[in-house]
Amino acid sequence: MNNSVHYWQALNHALDQQMAADDSIVVLGEDVGLYGGSYRVTEGLYAKYGEWRLRDTPISEGSFTGMGVGAAMVGLRPVVEIMTINFALLALDALINMAAKVPFMSGGQFAMPLVVRVPGGVAKQLAAQHSQRLEQTLMNVPGLRIAVPATPQDAYWQLTQAIHSDEPIILLEHELLYFTQGPLDDSLEAPPMHRAEVCREGQDVTIVTYSRMRDLSLQAASKLAEGGIEAEVIDLRSLRPIDWDTCAASLEKTHRLLVVEEDSGFAGAGAEIIAGLTERCFAELDAQPQRVAGLELPIAYNARLEAASIPRLNDITTAAKTLCDV
Amino acid sequence: MREPILMPSLSDTMESGHFIQWLKQPGDAVKKGEAVAEVESDKAIMDVEAFHDGYLAGPLVAEDTDLPVGAVLAYLVGRPEEVSETQAEKPSRTKQAASEKRPATENKSAASPETAVAVEKPATPSSSRPSSSNTTHVKASPYARGLARELGIDLSQLAPAADGSIHGRQVLAAALGRPEARLDDGPAYELQAMTPMQRAVANNMIAAAATPTFRTSARFALGPIRNLAKDKRFSLTLLLARACALTIQKHPRFNAAYTLQGLAQRQQVDVGIAVDVPNGLLTPVLRNVTEKPLNDLQEEWRLLKDRAMGKTPRHRLTPEDYRGATFYLSNLGMFSEVVHFDAVVPVGAAAILAVATVQDGVAEYTLSCDHRVVYGADAARFLHTLGEILDKPQTLLSGD
C-alpha cells in the first residue's frame, strides 16, 4: 500500500506488471517509446521491454489504431495510446468500424483484446480543439466498453482488467488527473470493471458523476453537508456499460438525482444516465432529475471563460440545494 | 381561457360537500371574488367564489347534489362567445347527466370522485385541462404518488411544497399525522435547510412529545450555593448538577428510565446539562456525579463545554458525550428576565430541572417529570431534599 502515487504512476505500474507477465502485450502510439509518453505513462518501459514492444508510431492516429486492431485480431494484446481524444477523431474508423464490429461481423471468430488509452477533457488553456470530451460519441457505439478511472487505484485496476479482457476497451483518462495523487494497493482484489463506486454516502440527494468531476462532486458534498444536505456521490467508473443497480439502489434511498459531467450536456452521458435511471426508478423520483454539465460551447482559450464553461463547485452545490429545497 | 370552478374544501375534514344552488347563470359576467354558487359542508353553508374575472360557462353541475371536493362545478371563460361555444356543444347534456346522476349520489359511498366527475366531463377532447378525476389536477412527484397509493393518502388533500408540487415529504408528514405548516396561506418565504443538529433536536423533541409529563415548581434561595461557587471557584452549574445528583441518590427513582419491559434503574448518577451552542442545543453528560471529586468534575465539565461550543475543533462532542443521562439540568439563570420556565423531558430521562433567574434572592426551580417513572409526591419530596442541600451547600463538598 502506497499512499501517494500519481495517477500516471499507477498506469505505468499496471503496464509494467502486465508486460512483464505476458509477452503478447505491446504498446503503440506517438512518443510512447523513447520519450516515455506525453504524460509519462510509459516512462522506463522502453528501456525494459525494447522497441519491439513499445512502438513509436508516426503521427497518424488512423493507421496506428488500425494497426492495433489488426494486431489484436492475430493474437497480440495491444495497448494503443492516442495522445489526446481530440486526435482520436482521426481514429474513429478504426475504433467504430473495426474494433467495435469485427467480433460481431466475424461471428465471434475474432476476439478484440484491444485497449485504447486516451487522455481528454478540459485541461489548462489548450483551446477548443484540444479540450474536447468525446464520451458521448463513443458511448453510442455498441461493441465498445468505456472505462473512466478517476483515481490511481482505479487507473491501476481498470487498465489491468482492460488488458486481460478480450473485448475492445477505451480508457478515457482526464489530462488533469495524471498528476493527482492517491493511495494504490496492487494486492487488493479489483471490483468488476464496470462497477460504480459509492464514494460518499448520504440520504438527501444522489450525485452521479465520473472522471475528474468525482473530486469536484465530493468537495461539493462536503460543502453541502455544512448546510445540512447529505449527498451520496457515485463515481460511475464505466460509461459503457453503466452500473444501473448501484445508482438505482441509491435513488431508492435519496429519491433525488443530480448528474455532474464535464462534457456538454446535450445528448451527453448525463442524458443517458437520467434516461436510464428514469426508466428504472421513475416511481422513486421525488423531483425532476438535474444535470450540471459543460456549456454548449467550444471551450475558450481564455482561462476565466474556460473555467466558466465547465461545472464549478458552486454550480453543483446550487443545483443540489435546488433539488433538495422542494 | 377556460378555468374550471372546483368544489372547494371548506374544512380540514371535508371530503365531499352538498351543492345547493347556482347564484349565476351561464353567460353571466363574473368578477374575481364574486359568489357564483352555494355549497354546504359538514359545518356551514358557504359561497363558491370565482378566482378570476370571466363568464360562467357550462356544463354546470346539477343543484342539490353531493359532490367530492375538487369536482368541477362549471367553467369560467374569458369571452362571452366561448360561453355559447361550450353551451352549444352539449346543450342538453348537463341536465340529462344531472338527472341520471342523482340516484347514484344519494348513496354517498358509491359516488367515487371518478364517477361523479366523469359524468360532468365536457366532451371536448381538446380541453386544455384534464378533468377526469380530481387527483389528476394534483401536481405530485412520482415518488409522492407511489407513497400516497401505498399509504392510502389522498393527494388532493395535501398542501404542495414551495414549487407547487407535492413531494414525498408532504405525503410522509400526512401519513405520520404531522401536517406541515400550510405555507401558502402567509406571505412569501424562503426555505432554509436545517443543520443536522437542528434536525436532530427537532426529532428528539417530537419523540419527547409522547412522554406524559407533569411539572412541579419550588422557590429556593440561590445565595448560599452561589457564594460557595464563588469562594471555591466552582462553576454554579456544576454545583447545581452535584446538588441534583445527591438528591437523586436519596430518591433513586429519578435515576430510572421508562421502557416497555420495565423501569431501567441506573447504577450510577449521570447528569445531562443543556448547553446553548450556536444554531443548536447540546446536552453533554457529566458522569458519576455523586462519586467523583468536584475538582475532577469541574475539569470534565470544562472540557465537555469547550467541545460542545466547538472550541476544540479536533475533539468534537461525540454521541458518547451527550447520550444516556436519566436526569437533566437546564439553567437559564443568567437571563435576568426569565423568572420561570419549564423544560422538555428528553426520551430516556426521568426528569429535567429548569432553573430560572434570581428575584429578591430566590430562584424558581421547575421539575418536569415523566409520569410513568415518578409521581407528584415523588417530585415534591425531591424538591424538598434539593432545597435542604441548597440551603446548606457545604454538603456538596463532603466526600472531596
Side-chain angles (χ1 to χ4, degrees):
Chain A
M1 173 83 172
N2 188 330
N3 267 319
S4 52
V5 173
H6 284 112
Y7 185 95
W8 70 264
Q9 288 172 313
L11 291 165
N12 180 271
H13 183 50
L15 264 181
D16 190 9
Q17 271 188 334
Q18 297 310 312
M19 290 183 81
D22 183 350
D23 284 348
S24 66
I25 299 168
V26 296
V27 177
L28 306 170
E30 295 154 7
D31 286 338
V32 297
L34 194 58
Y35 185 69
S38 33
Y39 294 100
R40 300 175 68 178
V41 172
T42 49
E43 188 172 277
L45 303 181
Y46 189 69
K48 213 164 164 181
Y49 302 105
E51 60 175 339
W52 278 106
R53 296 189 59 197
L54 289 105
R55 299 298 294 173
D56 277 324
T57 64
I59 302 178
S60 175
E61 284 74 14
S63 55
F64 70 73
T65 309
M67 188 162 97
V69 171
M73 287 172 71
V74 296
L76 293 182
R77 305 190 84 82
V79 178
V80 174
E81 175 178 310
I82 299 177
M83 193 178 277
T84 92
I85 191 84
N86 306 281
F87 308 157
L89 289 169
L90 293 162
L92 287 186
D93 187 49
L95 293 174
I96 297 176
N97 265 333
M98 299 181 210
K101 305 217 173 28
V102 164
F104 178 81
M105 295 180 76
S106 69
Q109 293 182 78
F110 289 101
M112 188 55 59
L114 171 72
V115 181
V116 182
R117 295 187 32 255
V118 205
V122 176
K124 299 277 183 209
Q125 291 191 273
L126 297 180
Q129 292 165 317
H130 290 70
S131 301
Q132 294 178 92
R133 302 121 300 165
L134 293 181
E135 43 265 40
Q136 75 312 73
T137 304
L138 298 167
M139 279 174 74
N140 195 241
V141 181
L144 292 181
R145 299 183 64 140
I146 302 165
V148 277
T151 65
Q153 184 73 57
D154 278 342
Y156 170 81
W157 274 337
Q158 290 182 301
L159 178 53
T160 305
Q161 288 167 316
I163 290 172
H164 285 213
S165 167
D166 282 342
E167 292 176 74
I169 295 177
I170 296 176
L171 252 67
L172 295 178
E173 301 162 1
H174 198 287
E175 289 171 29
L176 291 186
L177 287 176
Y178 285 110
F179 294 94
T180 58
Q181 290 184 315
L184 173 62
D185 184 344
D186 62 9
S187 68
L188 289 179
E189 197 185 334
M193 188 164 172
H194 71 285
R195 175 68 44 80
E197 182 196 353
V198 178
C199 39
R200 184 189 196 283
E201 292 198 19
Q203 72 285 338
D204 295 330
V205 55
T206 298
I207 300 180
V208 176
T209 187
Y210 61 92
S211 191
R212 191 183 151 241
M213 289 295 132
R214 166 193 168 120
D215 186 51
L216 201 66
S217 299
L218 284 171
Q219 288 177 37
S222 301
K223 270 248 176 290
L224 287 166
E226 291 168 15
I229 294 174
E230 292 296 337
E232 182 143 305
V233 179
I234 295 180
D235 175 5
L236 283 180
R237 295 177 74 245
S238 165
L239 290 179
R240 189 181 180 106
I242 285 174
D243 178 3
W244 299 113
D245 291 350
T246 298
C247 300
S250 177
L251 279 182
E252 282 171 20
K253 184 167 62 168
T254 65
H255 309 291
R256 288 175 159 78
L257 173 62
L258 174 65
V259 176
V260 180
E261 57 185 331
E262 185 183 295
D263 203 354
S264 48
F266 188 86
E272 177 57 32
I273 294 164
I274 288 178
L277 286 173
T278 306
E279 284 166 357
R280 285 164 179 82
C281 312
F282 179 72
E284 294 293 339
L285 294 174
D286 204 11
Q288 56 273 54
Q290 303 246 347
R291 274 180 287 180
V292 175
L295 302 184
E296 305 299 324
L297 289 170
I299 298 295
Y301 169 75
N302 175 293
R304 289 171 71 177
L305 292 179
E306 180 187 60
S309 311
I310 57 173
R312 290 169 293 188
L313 197 59
N314 265 349
D315 302 327
I316 304 175
T317 50
T318 307
K321 278 183 200 154
T322 312
L323 258 175
C324 292
D325 260 3
V326 296
Chain B
M1 184 194 86
R2 182 176 160 82
E3 291 286 328
I5 301 174
L6 304 179
M7 183 67 163
S9 171
L10 302 173
S11 75
D12 294 341
T13 51
M14 179 171 163
E15 286 175 3
S16 66
H18 187 70
F19 186 85
I20 301 174
Q21 60 170 344
W22 287 105
L23 302 176
K24 297 277 177 187
Q25 296 306 310
D28 283 357
V30 174
K31 287 252 172 274
K32 183 180 170 185
E34 200 175 352
V36 295
E38 280 181 352
V39 296
E40 185 177 10
S41 76
D42 45 1
K43 298 195 174 119
I45 293 175
M46 307 278 280
D47 290 337
V48 178
E49 293 175 359
F51 284 102
H52 304 278
D53 293 351
Y55 297 88
L56 188 67
L60 270 59
V61 296
E63 297 184 345
D64 190 30
T65 43
D66 286 324
L67 292 168
V69 167
V72 178
L73 303 175
Y75 290 84
L76 276 179
V77 294
R79 290 172 294 121
E81 308 87 89
E82 292 176 87
V83 176
S84 50
E85 281 164 25
T86 24
Q87 291 297 92
E89 275 162 18
K90 291 280 163 192
S92 61
R93 172 73 183 261
T94 316
K95 274 179 196 159
Q96 194 189 338
S99 56
E100 272 170 10
K101 198 165 68 61
R102 224 180 266 205
T105 49
E106 253 146 47
N107 181 353
K108 212 166 145 188
S109 61
S112 77
E114 282 79 8
T115 55
V117 184
V119 180
E120 309 299 334
K121 190 163 105 174
T124 23
S126 61
S127 166
S128 62
R129 294 280 296 235
S131 56
S132 61
S133 144
N134 62 345
T135 50
T136 58
H137 288 301
V138 177
K139 208 172 144 199
S141 74
Y143 177 55
R145 284 186 193 283
L147 275 179
R149 209 166 27 241
E150 275 175 32
L151 299 168
I153 303 274
D154 180 0
L155 285 174
S156 66
Q157 299 296 308
L158 304 185
D163 65 347
S165 176
I166 294 170
H167 295 267
R169 192 181 298 162
Q170 282 78 38
V171 179
L172 286 173
L176 294 170
R178 287 182 217 144
E180 294 196 328
R182 282 190 78 112
L183 296 166
D184 291 346
D185 295 345
Y189 58 91
E190 188 186 326
L191 274 186
Q192 292 178 341
M194 291 173 94
T195 64
M197 191 197 287
Q198 288 170 331
R199 178 78 56 202
V201 171
N203 288 338
N204 289 344
M205 290 305 126
I206 288 167
T211 304
T213 309
F214 70 92
R215 293 153 201 91
T216 316
S217 296
R219 290 173 205 274
F220 301 123
L222 198 72
I225 192 167
R226 199 166 50 184
N227 291 339
L228 180 76
K230 268 190 195 145
D231 288 352
K232 303 279 180 187
R233 294 170 185 257
F234 284 126
S235 126
L236 180 60
T237 303
L238 175 72
L239 288 186
L240 284 170
R242 172 83 141 201
C244 291
L246 294 175
T247 310
I248 292 165
Q249 223 174 11
K250 293 193 174 144
H251 304 277
R253 187 51 74 81
F254 282 85
N255 203 20
Y258 172 82
T259 74
L260 285 175
Q261 291 75 37
L263 293 177
Q265 183 68 50
R266 301 275 189 188
Q267 309 284 344
Q268 94 180 14
V269 183
D270 294 354
V271 177
I273 300 171
V275 175
D276 171 33
V277 300
N279 284 323
L281 165 68
L282 281 170
T283 52
V285 177
L286 271 179
R287 306 288 176 187
N288 206 3
V289 184
T290 52
E291 305 305 317
K292 283 185 195 153
L294 273 173
N295 283 326
D296 292 5
L297 286 171
Q298 171 107 329
E299 180 61 11
E300 265 174 46
W301 175 234
R302 190 184 61 78
L303 288 173
L304 283 172
K305 218 162 79 169
D306 283 357
R307 285 194 202 169
M309 302 294 291
K311 286 181 187 166
T312 49
R314 285 192 192 180
H315 299 283
R316 311 292 303 234
L317 222 52
T318 64
E320 294 84 71
D321 294 326
Y322 56 78
R323 281 190 190 152
T326 355
F327 191 93
Y328 285 83
L329 176 64
S330 179
N331 182 6
L332 290 183
M334 56 296 259
F335 296 99
S336 58
E337 306 80 10
V338 180
V339 295
H340 167 92
F341 79 104
D342 67 69
V344 176
V345 185
V347 170
I352 180 166
L353 183 69
V355 183
T357 198
V358 186
Q359 265 192 321
D360 307 324
V362 173
E364 187 161 312
Y365 291 68
T366 301
L367 192 63
S368 304
C369 307
D370 182 344
H371 208 318
R372 298 166 302 186
V373 184
V374 292
Y375 310 140
D378 297 324
R381 284 187 283 268
F382 181 98
L383 288 170
H384 178 78
T385 306
L386 181 67
E388 286 178 348
I389 294 174
L390 293 176
D391 208 26
K392 298 192 183 64
Q394 291 301 324
T395 50
L396 296 173
L397 305 178
S398 67
D400 274 26

